[in-house]
Amino acid sequence: MRKFRVLPLVLAVSLAGQAQAADLMTIARDALVNNADLAASRSGYSSVQAGEDIQRGDLLPQVSASGNVTRYNITSSQSRDISGAGTGAGAGVDDGVFDAGGGGDDHYTGTTVQVQATQALFDATNWYQLEASKRQTAQEALNLRVDRQQLLYNVAQAYFEVLRAKEQLDTLRAEEQAVDRQLEQVRQQFDVGIVAATDVYEAQASYDLTRSQRISQESTLQVNFEALEQLTGKQYPSIDGLADDMPIERPTPASQQAWVEMASSQNLDLLAARAAVDVARANLDTSRAGHLPVLSAFANYQYGDSNQDNLRGHNEQNQIGLEATIPIYTGGSTSAQVRQSTFSLEQTQYQQESQLRTAVQQVRSYYSRALNNVLSVQAQQRSIESNRSALEATRNGYEVGTRNIVDVLQAQQNLFTAISNYANARYDYVLNMLSLRQEAGILDVDTLDVLNSWLRADQAVSLNFQSQGTTGLGIGDDQPDPGMNGPSPLEGSQGRSGQRELPPPNRTAMPDNSDLNGLGRGGMGRDMPGGSNGY
């Protein structure tokens, strides 16, 4: 009864673990919300959009008001001579008379208020600057779409690279187990004297190599999981795996020229480059407008009062009129700006042509790759079957003595290489199809949703290596994973009673002094044509 009570709990934990597995759409939505680069692009678009409002404001009425209150403190002291010039005998005597004059102090307060309004009636520079700002906003909107599409591709690429790494790891684990079994078999054959020690060393070397590759692949899988975290800011303990029956079909439409035409009209990088040409053309118009006059209307109202000399009152003044400014000579700066804008326009036009050629070349390349992937997947499927048959025949030959252990290990490696190549061909097909749609400008969330329908929660991939088996890839019965720190099978069998000890591996003996007649002292030896015993 206790077993039946524990079983539902184990199933519940297992189902809960599967429910936590993320699929492609879940991770894509997380990336669209949390990706830092995309958030920066959104802020950049909002900034450029605000610049459009700034330029529009220069064409609208400009109204300003100013006022001041001033306290005046004036002190003056003046006098004048009213005695006249000294004459006669009394000259030279200081007997002049002075009048105090009009000196005195004055303290008063003055207040002034002014309101001024202007409206541009004709200002070509500001108008073209607004047009340029509008085109910059359109360009930045396309750049935002480019970044969003690139993020979707990056998410899909990181997702399927995790699945690719897991399948490669499964293949290496299965190969390691197969080599482990082969090593045990050879060891047993050596113990009874059927095979030589060389066969044991060959099997041991093959096992050690496969084991090191498996350990390295575990690290690769972990790094690929971290790439998903970098894109979304979230950790995913497991993700859904790709179904084995996902169709591998030719791209639709099945015409390279049709894809080229889509890229020529819908490639987002190309559209952004064309928008850059529009911005440069508007900037050229803005520079040329510097030669044109500016006409504006203005209206002023001014009010002021003061209590100077104990007089109270105020004054008002109204002005309304037109103002024209005609640039006659600006030191050549306006003409230089026109030349600069002209060269900038030429630069963007060349960049647009380069982007068009790049888009066409890329879409042709990915279309050809996708077609090759379709054929490669089919070929790799047949290669697995033929290598499996070859391995079986090699094993039979080894049993009857017509093949050696090296042949068996090589045939076994060829089979697992074919399995690995088949997995690579499938994921290359998925990524090349995504790249093809990206270059054609039609990679979107719906594309990922179609791929998401071919993901399976029962094939979830996680970083918990101990809980993941390697079914379907190995040959024969599954064996436990030796583990990263376990002893090698060769070391574990030595020293046991009833078994032969392996002789040490043969090492090439170093020549003594009597054998150094030319070897190591004169190059290739004494028998070289034209050579000598020494140098």
Side-chain angles (χ1 to χ4, degrees), residues 160-176:
F160 288 106
E161 287 298 339
V162 171
L163 301 186
R164 184 205 297 266
K166 177 55 169 58
E167 289 206 27
Q168 298 299 322
L169 177 60
D170 286 345
T171 303
L172 288 171
R173 287 167 61 91
E175 182 177 3
E176 180 183 3

Side-chain angles (χ1 to χ4, degrees), residues 346-413:
E346 291 181 359
Q347 180 185 21
T348 56
Q349 289 173 334
Y350 286 127
Q351 290 172 343
Q352 174 194 352
E353 179 63 24
S354 175
Q355 187 60 52
L356 173 61
R357 296 176 184 178
T358 299
V360 171
Q361 186 273 332
Q362 289 286 80
V363 79
R364 287 174 177 170
S365 174
Y366 286 119
Y367 181 84
S368 298
R369 292 181 189 180
L371 290 181
N372 291 337
N373 292 144
V374 173
L375 301 177
S376 178
V377 170
Q378 298 173 356
Q380 292 299 336
Q381 284 179 320
R382 291 191 293 268
S383 176
I384 292 175
E385 296 302 324
S386 60
N387 277 284
R388 181 175 283 113
S389 300
L391 175 59
E392 189 66 25
T394 304
R395 280 181 169 175
N396 293 334
Y398 178 73
E399 294 295 334
V400 298
T402 60
R403 294 296 185 93
N404 56 33
I405 188 61
V406 176
D407 296 332
V408 175
L409 294 174
Q410 184 62 49
Q412 191 167 260
Q413 182 181 9

